[in-house]
Amino acid sequence: MRQTLHITDALTVGYTAIHRQPFILLFPIGLSVYLWLGSAITLAIPLSYNQSIAAQWIGTLHAVDARTLLVVTNSIPVLTPSLGAVLPPPHTLPVMEFVGVVMILNVITLALSSWFLVSLRQIILRERLPWQMVLRRTLNVALRLSVVFALIGCVIAPIGGLSLLTMLFTPATTTLIYYGWIVLVITGLIGFGFTPEIITLSDERTLKALYKSWQLARQRWLAIATFLAVCTVIEVGFAQLWRSLATQPGWLAPAIIGNAYIGSGIRAARLQFYRYHAATLSPA
C-alpha cells in the first residue's frame, strides 16, 4: 500500500534536492541580482498627454518597470525590489519599444525558466543527461509552456475586456466582478497550476498536460488547495522578510540567497508533489 505523501514530505524532498545540487540557486540569484542592480525600464509619458482615457491609462503605467512584467512567463523564484530600494536611474522608452522589451524579456525568461525546471527534474529524478538532451528537453518545455500562456491569454483577454466594459457601464457590479475574478484565479491555479510540472516531468504536450492537471485537481482538489496555500504562505511570508532585509546595508546578498533557497525548494517540492499524486490517480 502506497504511503500517503504529506505536505512536509514534499517540502523535505524539495529542500533535500536543493541541498544535493545547490548550483540550481544560480538561476534565481542571477535574476534577482539583475532586478536589484540593473536599471529599470519604464514607459515614457506621451508628448500628446491629455485627459483622454487612453492617455490616463498610459500615464499610470509610466512608473511600471518592464522587468517586473517578466512574471508572465517566469517560473524562477525572484526577489523583486521594494519601493524603498535604491536603484540606478531608469531607462524610459516610448510605447512600442517598451512593449518590445517586455516581449523580449519574457522570451528570455521563458527559456531560463524551462532550463530551471528541467534542471530541477534532473535533480529530483537523479538523472545524468548529456547537454544535447538537456537542451532539447528545455526547448520542448519552453515551446509547450509558450502555448499554455497563449491559451491562457486567449481566455483571460476577452473575459477581462468584458469585465472592464461591464464595470464601466454598470459600476454597481464592480464588487461582484472583483470576487468573481478571485474565484476564477483560484480555480485556475488549482485546476491547471501543475501544468508546468506535468510538461517537465511527463513530457506531455500542452493540451494533454492541461487535461492531466484538471484530472489531478478533480481527484485531489483539497490536497492541492492545501499544498498550494502552505507554499504560498511560506514563499510570500519569507519574501516580505527578505525584501525588508535587502534594503539594509550589507544585507542584499543574504536576502537574495535566502529568497532563492526558499523559492527553489518550493519549486522542487511541487515537482515531487505532482510526481507522487500522478502515480496514485485513478483512470479517467
Side-chain angles (χ1 to χ4, degrees):
M1 183 176 181
R2 181 178 290 268
Q3 185 178 2
T4 302
L5 179 78
H6 299 287
I7 294 176
T8 52
D9 298 328
L11 292 172
T12 298
V13 172
Y15 286 103
T16 299
I18 301 303
H19 293 160
R20 193 162 59 243
Q21 295 289 347
F23 80 89
I24 198 71
L25 298 180
L26 294 178
F27 287 93
I29 289 174
L31 203 53
S32 297
V33 167
Y34 167 63
L35 292 177
W36 280 83
L37 302 184
S39 296
I41 303 171
T42 58
L43 181 64
I45 299 178
L47 295 177
S48 59
Y49 182 77
N50 51 48
Q51 296 304 312
S52 68
I53 294 177
Q56 290 180 28
W57 183 75
I58 293 176
T60 60
L61 293 177
H62 80 277
V64 175
D65 186 354
R67 302 174 308 156
T68 62
L69 299 179
L70 53 78
V71 297
V72 176
T73 57
N74 181 43
S75 299
I76 301 173
V78 294
L79 184 66
T80 55
S82 60
L83 294 177
V86 179
L87 302 175
H91 298 297
T92 57
L93 300 176
V95 176
M96 295 309 298
E97 291 185 21
F98 182 84
V99 172
V101 168
V102 171
M103 294 177 64
I104 292 172
L105 284 175
N106 274 280
V107 169
I108 294 174
T109 306
L110 177 60
L112 290 175
S113 295
S114 301
W115 187 10
F116 174 72
L117 290 173
V118 170
S119 299
L120 280 178
R121 167 188 165 138
Q122 290 183 264
I123 299 173
I124 291 291
L125 300 182
R126 298 178 181 270
E127 294 178 327
R128 292 185 178 275
L129 303 175
W131 68 268
Q132 297 93 333
M133 185 173 294
V134 173
L135 178 59
R136 188 181 309 114
R137 185 168 288 169
T138 299
L139 291 175
N140 286 335
V141 171
L143 289 174
R144 291 168 186 176
L145 286 179
S146 66
V147 177
V148 171
F149 295 128
L151 291 174
I152 292 174
C154 291
V155 172
I156 294 297
I159 297 177
L162 181 61
S163 299
L164 290 174
L165 288 175
T166 304
M167 289 187 294
L168 180 63
F169 292 105
T170 314
T173 62
T174 300
T175 301
L176 180 62
I177 291 175
Y178 173 76
Y179 286 112
W181 271 99
I182 292 178
V183 172
L184 178 63
V185 170
I186 292 176
T187 302
L189 289 175
I190 296 175
F192 303 104
F194 280 91
T195 302
E197 286 75 19
I198 295 172
I199 291 174
T200 302
L201 278 177
S202 303
D203 296 320
E204 296 287 2
R205 295 186 180 276
T206 303
L207 294 179
K208 182 66 173 178
L210 289 167
Y211 171 76
K212 290 185 70 171
S213 182
W214 182 252
Q215 181 188 9
L216 174 66
R218 286 195 303 110
Q219 300 186 33
R220 301 287 189 275
W221 190 269
L222 181 59
I224 292 175
T226 305
F227 175 75
L228 292 180
V230 171
C231 289
T232 300
V233 169
I234 294 174
E235 191 165 12
V236 173
F238 272 99
Q240 296 298 323
L241 171 64
W242 305 132
R243 198 170 288 113
S244 62
L245 285 176
T247 58
Q248 305 300 316
W251 280 95
L252 178 58
I256 288 177
I257 295 172
N259 184 78
Y261 173 75
I262 294 295
S264 298
I266 288 177
R267 299 302 185 279
R270 286 174 61 99
L271 288 170
Q272 176 61 21
F273 182 89
Y274 167 71
R275 182 188 177 196
Y276 169 83
H277 284 284
T280 64
L281 282 180
S282 302

